[in-house]
Amino acid sequence: MYEERASSRLTGAVLWTNTPSSAPGARPALPVLPDGCMDLLWSEGRLLVAGPDTRPHVPAGPPVSWAGVRLFPGTAPALLGVPAHELRDRRVELADLWPVSEVRRLSARIASAAHPTTALESLALERAAGPDPALRRLVTALAAGRAVAATADELGLGARQLHRRSLAAFGYGPKTLARILRLQRALALARAGVPYADTATRAGYADQAHLSRDVREFTGLTLRELLRWQAGLSPDGPGLPGRPH
């Protein structure tokens, strides 16, 4: 079962846990979708980092319990000391980035905590740098559907400078970030029951076919399949009520 809540201490962060179901016939884990974020993870005594995704990530191996803190887009590299593009589409041990002795100490601290997510939040707070105001404004503008070029002009950043800073902060350029944030807008609308064609228009796609192509590219599923998975239904069963098949 997946649960999440907004952090009350770390601006823009989300604390989450995912505990596999032991019920017979439980569904395989959903793919983790690109969202512009990076996560600090804890599972079975290990500290890991989830880099920025540009494709669906399907957890390998048998289901295990996870706890994590999902950091606001662009804030993880300063905490980790590693440019985001070096971790793109990767899951790495924190000990590959920080001294092993330090990670061992932190692992013991989290293992003894009553709530691993709170301990991860505290770790992130201790290491977090102040947010880059320009990058935060970029994320806010693109999440609201603003064009990349117009946003860059408002921030006083040239195309090359913006691309370079975006690679370090997000793991990819601003146009990819804009597409991923647009996808997240569309998924939120579709989950709320907005018809697919209206979802495409309101999220900023040229048409429904454009939305379908982006969903397939970033998630590996059709929009219908993805919504059925997230609703806890079989992906190949009857269509969702009120939505096209």
Side-chain angles (χ1 to χ4, degrees):
M1 180 176 64
Y2 177 83
E3 296 181 316
E4 68 174 39
R5 62 182 174 85
S7 170
S8 60
R9 299 189 291 160
L10 195 60
T11 303
V14 173
L15 309 182
W16 59 269
T17 58
N18 193 11
T19 305
S21 173
S22 58
R27 295 183 310 150
L30 270 172
V32 179
L33 306 182
D35 58 7
C37 301
M38 295 172 61
D39 293 57
L40 186 61
L41 308 171
W42 172 255
S43 181
E44 299 193 308
R46 301 160 58 211
L47 278 166
L48 303 98
V49 174
D53 291 321
T54 61
R55 55 178 182 258
H57 171 78
V58 180
V64 296
S65 295
W66 291 87
V69 53
R70 183 175 305 119
L71 300 162
F72 187 81
T75 60
L79 183 155
L80 297 171
V82 179
H85 63 82
E86 293 187 10
L87 302 175
R88 184 172 53 234
D89 293 317
R90 298 176 61 199
R91 303 302 187 263
V92 302
E93 300 277 351
L94 187 59
D96 292 339
L97 308 178
W98 291 359
V100 172
S101 59
E102 176 70 359
V103 174
R104 188 179 298 120
R105 182 184 68 81
L106 294 170
S107 296
R109 170 176 147 188
I110 293 172
S112 64
H115 301 288
T117 50
T118 303
L120 288 170
E121 179 187 38
S122 296
L123 190 164
L125 277 167
E126 293 167 7
R127 306 257 177 172
D132 182 320
L135 293 178
R136 187 170 286 273
R137 287 172 60 193
L138 174 67
V139 173
T140 301
L142 297 184
R146 293 280 292 162
V148 171
T151 303
D153 288 343
E154 291 170 4
L155 296 175
L157 296 174
R160 291 185 179 180
Q161 183 184 16
L162 179 60
H163 189 79
R164 183 174 63 252
R165 292 179 66 174
S166 293
L167 280 179
F170 310 114
Y172 31 67
K175 290 184 179 179
T176 298
L177 176 64
R179 290 180 64 203
I180 287 171
L181 296 177
R182 180 177 62 188
L183 173 70
Q184 291 296 327
R185 289 198 305 276
L187 294 181
L189 290 167
R191 282 194 295 264
V194 177
Y196 292 174
D198 291 345
T199 288
T201 299
R202 290 172 58 179
Y205 290 92
D207 51 31
Q208 186 174 331
H210 184 195
L211 166 64
S212 297
R213 289 193 299 271
D214 259 25
V215 171
R216 173 67 80 174
E217 177 180 342
F218 284 120
T219 76
L221 300 168
T222 67
L223 182 55
R224 173 183 172 276
E225 289 169 341
L226 180 61
L227 293 175
R228 289 190 62 84
W229 268 116
Q230 293 181 335
L233 303 171
S234 169
D236 55 0
L240 291 167
R243 293 192 176 131
H245 291 195

